[in-house]
Amino acid sequence: MYNKEEFKQVVENAVKEIFPDREVTTLVEDRSQMEQLCVETKAVDLGNKDSDAKEAKHKKSSNAHALFNFNRLKEIHEQSGIEGVKDFIKSCIGYCENNLEEIRSTMKDFKSSLNIKVFDPIIKSHLANCITRDLGDLKQALVLVKNEEDSAFQIYLSEDNLDPFKNVIGDMTIDALWDLAKENLKKCKYEFLSILSIPGLAELFQDKGLDPEDLREPTITFTTNDLQKEETIREMQDLVTNCKLVQPMFIIKNRDLSYSTSLLCNEELLSGLAQVFNESYYILPSSTLELLLFPESSANPLDSENEVRKHLKGMVHSVNQTLQSNELFTDEVFKYNKSVEKLEFIGRYESSTTMY
């Protein structure tokens, strides 16, 4: 009989055997109904028992994380035994560590690679030790990001893994790092498009006698600074006005990064989009890759605001059930209130139960 705790120990022993000079911890966590195993290896010399070395153990940790589907490891164990498990773990952890080495070898890119990612601590509890700031119920994290065709990595910064970058950081404070990350976020290119531009969606309207080619809308690429230009605002407003859906919905995503969750902490972007819509709008986190924007006037005028919010929360919850764990962002739904220029957290889906 497969015993989760026993197999967890098997995995931990395998990692210790692969990296005898490392401190290893494992944690099984339930993420979107899919149990995964977080393996953390720390680059420390366990042979040095000096008190100074023990203290350094916590200060010089590389915190290389690798997430595995727990049941996938079980399948590999059944097919190839413990040696197959070892090979799989070694390749995954090796990939993470190679990324870290690549960052270390390109320290000159640290400042331009520094950015922000927003995550849900309920879904990604293993990121609790990263450098974070609150954003409502969510967390902002400092990350080093490289997203190119031939090379990509993403590493969350913590107090433990800042040491390799001290020469670049110098006397910069954590607050200064946050300011730098925000400036880098403003330089990113964003894409704004109608939901009709999703491949295959326009074809669904053929039965209504509409030509799919007439339904498709252009994609507008811009930066936060472009929202200060009247021509950019007008171009985006034209796209909104000409959308042929009765209840228009739009997509916003970060073209330069492999995620778009940081859009929520870009205040200038959120304010600029309110100017484009000329009203408040809801933000639906369809995945980590993109966010959906639903102008307030798109809602059914016969529905109350509470009914609209309940419907949107249910929509997000339903979509999230279909996502892979690495694409899942949050069940939270947001609204940007144009009158007060503020992002509001309007809650998560709650299933109703009937008492008999």
Side-chain angles (χ1 to χ4, degrees):
M1 184 70 178
Y2 169 54
N3 184 293
K4 184 193 308 179
E5 288 303 316
E6 288 182 3
F7 190 65
K8 174 183 170 184
Q9 189 61 52
V10 168
V11 172
E12 185 166 328
N13 290 339
V15 179
K16 288 179 179 178
E17 185 175 333
I18 295 169
F19 300 107
D21 61 337
R22 304 296 176 87
E23 176 187 356
V24 178
T25 57
T26 64
L27 171 67
V28 177
E29 53 188 27
D30 186 354
R31 306 178 67 213
S32 183
Q33 301 178 342
M34 181 184 293
E35 287 184 336
Q36 297 205 355
L37 185 68
C38 176
V39 178
E40 179 179 350
T41 65
K42 298 185 177 182
V44 297
D45 182 1
L46 297 182
N48 193 333
K49 303 301 182 181
D50 295 341
S51 58
D52 291 343
K54 291 180 180 179
E55 181 67 21
K57 176 176 67 176
H58 300 288
K59 292 183 177 180
K60 296 184 178 180
S61 164
S62 66
N63 279 1
H65 294 272
L67 284 174
F68 315 99
N69 183 314
F70 200 78
N71 292 325
R72 172 62 177 147
L73 282 183
K74 173 179 173 284
E75 292 173 6
I76 294 174
H77 187 252
E78 290 176 345
Q79 296 170 1
S80 308
I82 190 60
E83 292 304 319
V85 172
K86 289 178 185 177
D87 289 342
F88 180 73
I89 294 174
K90 188 172 183 179
S91 66
C92 292
I93 293 180
Y95 176 76
C96 293
E97 296 200 327
N98 287 338
N99 284 341
L100 185 59
E101 288 302 322
E102 182 177 356
I103 293 178
R104 286 173 174 167
S105 66
T106 57
M107 288 186 183
K108 58 181 173 54
D109 295 330
F110 177 93
K111 292 184 177 180
S112 60
S113 300
L114 187 63
N115 218 291
I116 297 172
K117 185 172 184 178
V118 178
F119 68 92
D120 189 331
I122 295 177
I123 295 174
K124 298 185 181 296
S125 57
H126 61 287
L127 298 177
N129 294 327
C130 297
I131 298 174
T132 63
R133 283 183 174 175
D134 291 338
L135 183 67
D137 296 334
L138 308 180
K139 295 281 188 183
Q140 303 175 62
L142 286 177
V143 292
L144 284 177
V145 190
K146 186 175 182 180
N147 187 35
E148 298 175 357
E149 193 170 319
D150 61 337
S151 179
F153 57 70
Q154 178 179 297
I155 291 189
Y156 290 79
L157 292 184
S158 69
E159 295 284 0
D160 289 334
N161 64 13
L162 280 180
D163 278 353
F165 314 110
K166 288 299 185 184
N167 290 339
V168 178
I169 296 174
D171 58 357
M172 289 182 69
T173 63
I174 295 296
D175 286 342
L177 291 178
W178 278 108
D179 290 340
L180 175 60
K182 287 182 178 179
E183 288 303 313
N184 287 341
L185 188 59
K186 294 178 184 178
K187 298 173 185 176
C188 290
K189 292 182 179 179
Y190 302 102
E191 291 184 346
F192 179 73
L193 58 154
S194 163
I195 196 171
L196 284 171
S197 298
I198 296 177
L201 186 60
E203 280 73 7
L204 296 177
F205 291 84
Q206 280 183 300
D207 293 339
K208 299 181 180 181
L210 299 174
D211 187 342
E213 293 303 321
D214 291 337
L215 287 170
R216 290 194 178 93
E217 304 286 354
T219 296
I220 298 175
T221 303
F222 66 99
T223 66
T224 303
N225 291 333
D226 288 335
L227 291 174
Q228 307 301 317
K229 304 174 183 177
E230 290 186 9
E231 58 187 284
T232 302
I233 295 293
R234 279 199 304 270
E235 183 183 8
M236 296 173 72
Q237 286 177 334
D238 286 344
L239 189 153
V240 172
T241 303
N242 296 328
C243 183
K244 298 176 179 64
L245 281 176
V246 176
Q247 293 181 302
M249 190 175 289
F250 302 89
I251 298 171
I252 185 78
K253 54 185 175 181
N254 194 323
R255 198 181 76 171
D256 289 346
L257 301 176
S258 58
Y259 59 86
S260 294
T261 66
S262 56
L263 299 173
L264 292 173
C265 57
N266 189 335
E267 297 174 0
E268 290 88 345
L269 174 65
L270 298 178
S271 176
L273 290 171
Q275 187 178 351
V276 169
F277 293 127
N278 197 28
E279 62 177 315
S280 301
Y281 57 93
Y282 293 96
I283 303 174
L284 313 180
S286 56
S287 73
T288 58
L289 305 178
E290 60 194 22
L291 303 179
L292 299 183
L293 308 178
F294 188 67
E296 198 170 36
S297 62
S298 293
N300 188 332
L302 299 180
D303 290 342
S304 67
E305 185 172 2
N306 284 339
E307 289 173 327
V308 171
R309 292 184 175 196
K310 183 177 180 180
H311 172 70
L312 294 178
K313 291 175 188 178
M315 183 191 303
V316 170
H317 178 74
S318 296
V319 170
N320 281 346
Q321 302 309 302
T322 68
L323 297 178
Q324 298 292 325
S325 59
N326 63 330
E327 295 180 347
L328 183 62
F329 176 22
T330 181
D331 276 341
E332 192 90 40
V333 175
F334 316 92
K335 180 180 180 181
Y336 185 80
N337 190 322
K338 184 175 182 292
S339 61
V340 296
E341 297 185 337
K342 183 179 179 182
L343 181 69
E344 299 176 349
F345 287 65
I346 64 174
R348 306 165 188 257
Y349 172 80
E350 295 181 8
S351 58
S352 57
T353 56
T354 303
M355 301 297 292
Y356 294 94

